[in-house]
Amino acid sequence: MRFYHLVIMLIFLSCTQESNKETIPVREHSVQSVLWVQMSSEYKAQCYQAFNLAKLSLDNFLIKNADSDKPLAIVTDIDETVLNNSPFNAKMIEMDIEFSKDLWFEWGRNEIAEAIPGALEFFNYAKSRNVKIFYISNRDKSQINETAANLGKLGFPNSDPSYLLLKDSTSEKQARRDLVLNDHNVLMFLGDNLSDFSSLFDGLDRSEFVDSVRSKFGSQFIVLPNPIYGDWETKELYGGRYNWSSQQKDSIRKANLISF
């Protein structure tokens, strides 16, 4: 309820103060997070940590599933899990714009996204252990060839389109996960967003569900760091509403800070 009380207050404030405040750059709030991804050694260390842990867990799962009657597989997200798209986010800051599908498609066509630190080594190790890699992403289905090409240029295994399940009519991923689960023993899921693991994370009570499945993190669920964007922002910070003005978003961000 705290969030909705804040929303009412912020709507009132934004309406009464709109004419007296300078325009707030729409992406100014993301400058620090983009710089952290691009410059901090801590970001790189956390990625290596995630994939080191993934390798340990995979070895353990391979022992436990040595007699599996289905082919073994891993399901992974792509963006900010396998490919680093921070230059796209930096471009939005430069242009002072919100997310642009046209700009996103242009970025994808360049096929120049770099690999997340540790990702290439881990997935090629999994491939060497006869584990298939399926990439489930909410990139648009029309981007499948350029996405496969970008992955292939970097040397990722199973990078041909038959292993890529991109978004068609819905961003919900469970149906695509089920396609893999039907014919494969999926050992692990990797992603930067909780919806990469289960549709049960798609609701607004995400934090409570995280607590209920805490033992899966670091074993079956491997989470990559992404402070730039995600459901933590759209669902938890902005309450699932997408039409806030930049000024209202700025007020909501500040109002949700926990101080002393």
Side-chain angles (χ1 to χ4, degrees):
M1 293 299 295
R2 176 174 177 269
F3 172 81
Y4 293 103
H5 291 155
L6 288 170
V7 167
I8 294 172
M9 176 188 72
L10 293 168
I11 292 174
F12 173 77
L13 289 175
S14 64
C15 290
T16 57
Q17 297 176 6
E18 189 79 29
S19 61
N20 298 320
K21 297 183 72 174
E22 296 181 3
T23 301
I24 299 170
V26 297
R27 300 304 301 174
E28 181 65 24
H29 68 282
S30 69
V31 171
Q32 193 82 343
S33 58
V34 172
L35 287 172
W36 186 78
V37 167
Q38 294 186 336
M39 296 188 66
S40 78
S41 298
E42 286 79 5
Y43 168 74
K44 184 182 290 186
Q46 288 187 35
C47 293
Y48 285 138
Q49 177 176 259
F51 287 113
N52 287 341
L53 186 55
K55 183 176 181 293
L56 290 173
S57 296
L58 177 60
D59 287 340
N60 185 46
F61 284 132
L62 288 172
I63 293 171
K64 292 180 178 179
N65 293 272
D67 298 324
S68 175
D69 58 353
K70 288 184 177 181
L72 303 179
I74 288 173
V75 167
T76 182
D77 177 47
I78 294 178
D79 298 310
E80 280 48 76
T81 303
V82 173
L83 297 180
N84 182 338
N85 299 288
S86 62
F88 166 74
N89 293 278
K91 179 60 71 174
M92 286 196 294
I93 293 171
E94 286 182 357
M95 297 175 67
D96 192 26
I97 60 172
E98 291 286 11
F99 177 83
S100 162
K101 183 176 287 189
D102 289 341
L103 186 65
W104 171 247
F105 283 1
E106 179 185 343
W107 162 249
R109 286 191 296 270
N110 289 331
E111 300 173 9
I112 57 174
E114 296 183 355
I116 297 293
L120 187 61
E121 295 84 355
F122 170 72
F123 288 111
N124 276 314
Y125 173 74
K127 176 68 173 179
S128 76
R129 300 298 306 274
N130 297 315
V131 178
K132 295 181 181 180
I133 314 301
F134 287 90
Y135 303 88
I136 298 182
S137 167
N138 277 338
R139 287 191 171 204
D140 191 84
K141 198 170 184 178
S142 65
Q143 298 176 281
I144 193 164
N145 289 329
E146 62 211 43
T147 302
N150 198 158
L151 292 169
K153 288 178 181 179
L154 294 170
F156 279 98
N158 301 134
S159 59
D160 60 274
S162 63
Y163 286 88
L164 276 63
L165 287 77
L166 305 189
K167 182 177 70 173
D168 189 357
S169 59
T170 177
S171 61
E172 202 277 329
K173 292 184 173 182
Q174 192 58 51
R176 283 172 279 165
R177 282 191 290 263
D178 288 342
L179 288 175
V180 181
L181 287 163
N182 286 340
D183 299 317
H184 297 81
N185 182 359
V186 177
L187 303 179
M188 306 171 64
F189 300 85
L190 291 90
D192 66 300
N193 204 50
L194 294 177
S195 60
D196 296 324
F197 309 122
S198 169
S199 60
L200 295 176
F201 287 113
D202 290 340
L204 292 177
D205 56 346
R206 303 166 79 240
S207 178
E208 183 178 337
F209 188 63
V210 165
D211 292 336
S212 71
V213 295
R214 66 187 72 184
S215 64
K216 292 182 180 292
F217 294 106
S219 56
Q220 187 179 12
F221 298 160
I222 303 294
V223 185
L224 277 295
N226 177 10
I228 302 176
Y229 67 91
D231 286 347
W232 68 268
E233 180 183 30
T234 55
K235 291 183 179 179
E236 293 179 317
L237 179 60
Y238 298 138
R241 179 174 163 181
Y242 292 87
N243 59 347
W244 299 114
S245 69
S246 60
Q247 192 169 37
Q248 288 171 329
K249 287 180 179 180
D250 181 69
S251 297
I252 291 170
R253 287 191 293 270
K254 290 182 172 66
N256 274 277
L257 291 170
I258 300 173
S259 184
F260 65 92

